């Protein structure tokens, strides 16, 4: 049907045109960078994906402000890429920022929700001591489990990020299971 790298060429071409016609800080440029980062992640070009996500994040914050679902979504995707790169402390930081932002957006959308609603809100307190690798996987899994209902609430149950969270949770469960049975 086609080579995914062909899609990457189209994204690069579209990005050059949008930057030339709209300027480097336009939201359409950010969206193209975001879509490019998704494709690069799919192609397992994680370093390049993270670079594209970071630039998309910069523009989204500039244009949409620090508090927008798009910023939370970008941070969450950056956490996924950092996880794939096995940069667990970076992943946790991205997830923490994304989840805190999602909580803020939910509270602003529905002021009746408060921090005592533990079944909905996730307050992340990172440990002050380094974690071993298994504990980091468990923390990542906890972040996914806590982010799932927030993501469904903000993005909708059928959003691609819900599928991504579920897939990453499956990957982590497999990793934890394999770890326990390693010789």
């Amino acid at each position: 049907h086609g080579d995914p790298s062909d899609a990457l060429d189209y994204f690069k071409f579209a990005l050059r045109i949008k930057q030339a016609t709209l300027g480097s800080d336009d939201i359409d440029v950010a969206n193209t960078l975001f879509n490019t980062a998704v494709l690069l992640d799919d192609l397992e070009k994680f370093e390049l994906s993270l670079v594209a996500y970071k630039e998309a994040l910069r523009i989204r914050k500039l244009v949409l402000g620090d508090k927008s679902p798009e910023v939370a979504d970008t941070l969450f995707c950056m956490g996924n890429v950092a996880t794939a790169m096995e940069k667990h402390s970076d992943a946790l930081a991205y997830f923490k920022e994304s989840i805190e932002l999602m909580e803020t957006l939910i509270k602003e959308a529905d002021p009746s929700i408060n921090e005592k609603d533990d079944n909905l809100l996730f307050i992340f307190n990172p440990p002050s001591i380094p974690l071993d690798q298994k504990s980091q996987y468990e923390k990542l899994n906890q972040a996914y489990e806590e982010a799932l209902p927030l993501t469904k609430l903000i993005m909708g149950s059928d959003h691609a990020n819900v599928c991504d969270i579920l897939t990453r949770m499956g990957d982590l469960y497999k990793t934890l299971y394999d770890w326990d049975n390693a010789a």
Side-chain angles (χ1 to χ4, degrees), residues 2-170:
D3 185 352
S5 62
D6 291 341
L8 186 57
D9 291 338
Y10 289 123
F11 278 130
K12 288 178 182 177
F13 186 64
L15 182 61
R16 282 194 300 271
I17 292 171
K18 287 180 180 184
Q19 287 172 325
T21 59
L22 302 172
S24 295
D25 292 336
D26 190 87
I27 195 64
D28 283 339
V29 171
N31 294 338
T32 301
L33 283 162
F34 182 89
N35 291 332
T36 302
V38 170
L39 178 60
L40 288 165
D41 183 14
D42 290 344
L43 294 171
E44 298 183 1
K45 295 182 178 189
F46 302 122
E47 292 285 345
L48 293 173
S49 177
L50 198 53
V51 169
Y53 276 130
K54 285 179 179 180
E55 182 61 9
L57 179 66
R58 183 193 68 77
I59 297 168
R60 284 178 167 185
K61 283 183 172 183
L62 179 72
V63 175
L64 304 172
D66 290 337
K67 290 196 236 176
S68 75
E70 293 83 1
V71 168
D73 187 27
T74 306
L75 288 164
F76 193 85
C77 291
M78 290 168 68
N80 286 335
V81 171
T83 300
M85 296 170 68
E86 297 187 8
K87 293 184 175 184
H88 303 298
S89 60
D90 290 348
L92 289 171
Y94 292 133
F95 289 137
K96 177 182 183 255
E97 189 175 352
S98 174
I99 290 167
E100 287 174 349
L101 178 53
M102 286 191 277
E103 289 171 350
T104 299
L105 293 169
I106 289 169
K107 287 183 218 174
E108 288 176 357
D110 185 352
S112 69
I113 296 173
N114 61 52
E115 293 190 24
K116 293 181 183 170
D117 294 325
D118 292 331
N119 61 331
L120 178 63
L121 297 179
F122 171 51
I123 307 303
F124 187 91
N125 294 310
S128 58
I129 57 172
L131 298 170
D132 65 16
Q133 191 168 5
K134 184 174 179 183
S135 293
Q136 287 189 7
Y137 281 123
E138 290 168 349
K139 278 289 189 186
L140 286 173
N141 192 58
Q142 179 184 354
Y144 284 133
E145 287 176 356
E146 301 282 347
L148 186 60
L150 296 171
T151 303
K152 285 180 177 179
L153 185 63
I154 291 175
M155 307 283 184
S157 294
D158 295 332
H159 193 274
N161 281 3
V162 172
C163 179
D164 192 43
I165 291 170
L166 293 169
T167 301
R168 298 290 181 166
M169 286 173 71

Side-chain angles (χ1 to χ4, degrees), residues 166-178:
L166 293 169
T167 301
R168 298 290 181 166
M169 286 173 71
D171 289 343
L172 282 172
Y173 277 121
K174 180 183 180 301
T175 300
L176 288 170
Y177 177 78
D178 289 346

